[in-house]
Amino acid sequence: MIAANCTFAPVNHAYGDRDRLIREQGFLPSRGGILVEEDVWIGANSVILDGALLRKGCVIAAGSIVRGEVEAYTVCGGNPLRRLGVRS
């Protein structure tokens, strides 16, 4: 389930060259895209970044920013993302 106003951002802008405008630098190599497994709930206004892996049954609290792996059946939230609990 995906609540309102969530953002999935599977790319990253390049910005390392000071002599070129950021908009002209293109994108960095992918960190693997985004994978959302079964029975996941993503709360409103969350941002899911490139390289995120949301394992089966996890819950993401509203307003969270996710990068990296979220373990199965955990409840996580915030920025930085932290474990808040576990689904029983």
Side-chain angles (χ1 to χ4, degrees):
M1 297 184 348
I2 302 171
N5 301 315
C6 290
T7 300
F8 288 74
V11 295
N12 295 294
H13 286 279
Y15 54 86
D17 185 350
R18 290 183 181 184
D19 297 326
R20 293 175 48 207
L21 297 173
I22 292 173
R23 70 174 184 246
E24 295 173 352
Q25 293 186 47
F27 297 95
L28 295 172
S30 175
R31 293 183 177 161
I34 296 170
L35 177 63
V36 180
E37 293 184 348
E38 295 178 354
D39 195 30
V40 171
W41 177 11
I42 301 171
N45 298 306
S46 292
V47 178
I48 314 300
L49 299 174
D50 186 30
L53 174 55
L54 283 65
R55 294 290 184 187
K56 183 176 183 177
C58 71
V59 175
I60 305 300
S64 298
I65 297 179
V66 181
R67 54 183 290 230
E69 184 173 354
V70 177
E71 295 177 25
Y73 300 104
T74 58
V75 178
C76 297
N79 179 23
L81 193 72
R82 63 185 178 93
R83 185 176 173 160
L84 303 174
V86 179
R87 287 179 60 190
S88 56

